[in-house]
Amino acid sequence: MHNTKTQLLKTNFPKLNRSTLDTLQVNLGYTCNQSCKHCHVNAGPKRTETMSLEHINDILTFIENNNIKKLDLTGGAPELNKYFRHLVTRARELNVSVIDRCNLTILNEDGQQGLAEFLAENQVEIVASLPCYSKDNVDKQRGKGVFNGSITGLQKLNALGYGKKDTGLILNLMYNPIGAFLPPSQISLELEYREKLHDDFNIVFSKLYTLTNMPIMRFGSTLISKGEFENYINLLKTSHSDDNLQTVMCRNLISIDWQGYIYDCDFNQMLDMPTANKLKNKLHISELDLTNLQNTPIQVGEHCYGCTAGSGSSCGGALS
Ligand code: SF4
Ligand code: SF4
C-alpha cells in the first residue's frame, strides 16, 4: 500500500484552535468483517489490533473525571472488540451518549446475536455506512454481498424502532463518494435515499450524513495507483471554504487509538500525527491532563482540506 503521509505534511492549511472538549472518539481496533476499498483505517478480517480491557477502563475513568458528554465508537467494526458491551453499558450508566459506527453487516455475523437488541436497550445512536442505495455501487466499494447484508441489518434495526419517530432510537446513514469526487448536497441526497430505501425495502432512517473521502490509507493509496492523488488534493484545496473552519470536529473532540494514545482526530490517528501538547510527549489517555492541551495547535496537513472542501465534512456529516 502507498503511504501518502509525506505528501500531506507540508501544508498552508489555516491554523485551528481548540474549543471545549465534549466528545471522545475511540477506535476499538482494526478488526473488521469487511475490507472496503475506501477504508481510511485499512481495517479487515486479518487485522488483530484491539483495545484491551485496561485501556477501556482508562477511557471510562477519563470520561468520569472530565465531564465528557459523548462517546463515539469506531474501528474496524467496534462491536468486534470483546469489551464493547462492557464499555457501552458503563458509559450509559455515567449518562454519556454513545454513538456506534456500525457497518450494518456486523449485525448478521455469527457471535453477534442480540447485538441490535443490546444497542436499542442502551439507546445507542447508530451511524451506519451505506455509500449508495443501489446494490451494484455498494458491493463495488464494500465487497460482494455487503448491500444485501446492510439491508437485512437496517430492517432488523427498524423492527426495533430505530429510525422511527418518537422512539428515541437514532439511525443515521453515512454516504461517501465511490470515487475521487466530492459528495453532492446532503439535503437532496437524503431525499433520494429516503424515497429509494422506503419504496424498495420499506426502510426508514433519521438523517443522512455525507462524508468526503480522505486521501489517506486505502483510499489515498488507490489515488496514487491511479495517478489521481494530486488532482484530488487540488480538488479539495480549490473547494476549501473558510466558513467550515469553525465547525471541524477536531475543535471539540479527541481521538484515541486502540493502544490508548490521543490524536486530534481519527484521520491524524491513521497518519500517526499525535496531538501536540505542552509536555511534548505522545500522550496516553491514562495520563491526560487537559491543561496540557491548552493553547497548543491542532496538527494539520493537506488532508484537512477534506474537512473543509465544499459543504464541509466531519463524522457528523456536512458542516454547512
Ligand atoms: S470502512 Fe468500515 S466497514 Fe469498511 S473495512 Fe473500514 S472499518 Fe470496516
Ligand atoms: S483532518 Fe482532522 S485535524 Fe484536520 S481539519 Fe479534519 S478533523 Fe481537524
Side-chain angles (χ1 to χ4, degrees), residues 171-183:
L171 170 59
N172 293 325
L173 300 183
M174 179 73 90
Y175 159 92
N176 64 285
I178 55 166
F181 51 90
L182 295 182

Side-chain angles (χ1 to χ4, degrees), residues 18-19 21 62 66 254 262 264 274-299:
R18 290 177 212 287
S19 183
L21 175 68
F62 183 84
N66 291 276
I254 56 174
I262 71 158
D264 296 319
T275 298
N277 61 85
K278 291 177 186 163
L279 302 177
K280 300 192 189 319
N281 287 334
K282 190 170 177 178
L283 287 181
H284 195 270
I285 190 70
S286 60
E287 61 190 13
L288 178 59
D289 173 350
L290 289 177
T291 56
N292 288 323
L293 300 189
Q294 273 167 10
N295 306 318
T296 58
I298 291 172
Q299 302 279 54

Side-chain angles (χ1 to χ4, degrees), residues 149-289:
S150 302
I151 294 299
T152 305
L154 286 171
Q155 286 169 333
K156 208 175 260 183
L157 293 170
N158 275 174
L160 291 164
Y162 266 106
K164 297 187 176 170
K165 278 193 187 127
D166 305 326
T167 61
L169 294 173
I170 300 171
L171 170 59
N172 293 325
L173 300 183
M174 179 73 90
Y175 159 92
N176 64 285
I178 55 166
F181 51 90
L182 295 182
S185 147
Q186 189 163 280
I187 296 170
S188 55
L189 193 64
E190 181 177 295
L191 287 174
E192 255 177 73
Y193 263 67
R194 264 192 213 295
E195 204 175 291
K196 280 282 183 188
L197 289 176
H198 181 265
D199 292 355
D200 295 352
F201 305 104
N202 205 22
I203 284 171
V204 293
F205 60 92
S206 310
K207 280 186 190 164
L208 176 82
Y209 293 155
T210 57
L211 184 75
T212 301
N213 286 323
M214 277 286 166
I216 62 175
M217 299 304 265
R218 212 173 274 156
F219 183 70
S221 178
T222 307
L223 290 174
I224 290 186
S225 302
K226 291 183 170 174
E228 293 176 353
F229 184 80
E230 276 179 28
N231 282 348
Y232 188 65
I233 294 285
N234 282 338
L235 171 68
L236 297 180
K237 290 176 91 158
T238 51
S239 315
H240 165 82
S241 165
D242 271 347
D243 291 347
N244 292 324
L245 290 169
Q246 289 310 309
T247 38
V248 287
M249 61 186 177
C250 49
R251 300 195 63 228
N252 306 90
L253 164 154
I254 56 174
S255 160
I256 303 166
D257 72 12
W258 65 278
Q259 293 173 296
Y261 290 101
I262 71 158
Y263 304 81
D264 296 319
C265 70
D266 198 38
F267 308 121
N268 284 6
Q269 182 187 137
M270 295 310 141
L271 289 165
D272 194 22
M273 294 169 62
T275 298
N277 61 85
K278 291 177 186 163
L279 302 177
K280 300 192 189 319
N281 287 334
K282 190 170 177 178
L283 287 181
H284 195 270
I285 190 70
S286 60
E287 61 190 13
L288 178 59
D289 173 350

